Amino acid sequence: MQTILILLVLALLIFLIFFSIAALTKEKDLKNKHKATEKKEKIKGFTNKMNDSDLVYKFSEKMPSNNDELTKIFNKAKNPWRMTIATFQFIRFFGLIIGLILAGFLLLFGFEYAIIGLAVGVLSMWYPMYYYKAIGNEREAEWNKSYEFIWVIKH
């Protein structure tokens, strides 16, 4: 019975997260509806909506960040998710906050359940940075291989 209750709570939290993101992006879309008709070639996906959100930029001003390091990581990885640094940081910190709230709620059912919430928070904070660094290292390794190949052909 507790497992079903926990699954229902998790489903509710996921629904609330997606609902809040949709509400945030809808407000921005209403303001810029006439601009969107002028730029039909621009694809409006999740990250583009987050990139254009005023809330994300207001939130990112208050977050601790090292923009020089993030800029280097973004340039090295060639930004595979096509998001701004503010959106990247917002997703990381928002996921951490949701994970901590989830852990606090699941602590009511037991410590072992709260670890799930902590894992969600830590993974949402860690994985985007890990992914960007891994893609950057992979691209750098490919470049080094091609450079070495060209050098071998030349000499």
Side-chain angles (χ1 to χ4, degrees), residues 47 51 56-57 60 63 65-92 125 127-137 139-140:
T47 55
N51 288 340
V56 170
Y57 284 101
S60 68
M63 290 186 293
S65 68
N66 186 354
N67 282 341
D68 294 335
E69 180 184 339
L70 285 174
T71 303
K72 288 178 186 176
I73 291 170
F74 269 58
N75 290 337
K76 190 175 176 182
K78 302 295 183 207
N79 198 2
W81 291 343
R82 302 203 192 321
M83 62 177 65
T84 63
I85 291 175
T87 304
F88 183 77
Q89 289 291 81
F90 177 79
I91 289 173
R92 290 180 68 214
M125 187 71 177
Y127 183 74
M129 186 66 77
Y130 164 78
Y131 183 77
Y132 266 60
K133 285 181 180 179
I135 292 293
N137 291 338
R139 288 178 187 263
E140 186 176 4

Side-chain angles (χ1 to χ4, degrees), residues 6 9 13 36 39 48 50-51 57 89 109 115 138 147:
I6 291 172
V9 169
L13 283 174
K39 298 179 180 181
N48 284 335
M50 293 294 287
N51 288 340
Y57 284 101
Q89 289 291 81
F109 298 105
I115 293 175
E138 182 180 320
Y147 180 75

Side-chain angles (χ1 to χ4, degrees), residues 96-113:
L96 177 66
I97 291 167
I98 293 298
L100 293 176
I101 291 170
L102 180 64
F105 178 74
L106 292 177
L107 192 59
L108 298 172
F109 298 105
F111 180 72
E112 58 275 359
Y113 297 116

Side-chain angles (χ1 to χ4, degrees), residues 28 31-40:
K28 184 69 175 179
K31 290 180 182 177
N32 295 327
K33 192 162 188 159
H34 66 281
K35 290 180 184 178
T37 57
E38 295 173 3
K39 298 179 180 181
K40 287 186 179 182

Side-chain angles (χ1 to χ4, degrees), residues 140-152:
E140 186 176 4
E142 289 296 322
W143 169 254
N144 290 340
K145 285 180 188 176
S146 63
Y147 180 75
E148 182 180 329
F149 180 70
I150 292 170
W151 188 85
V152 168

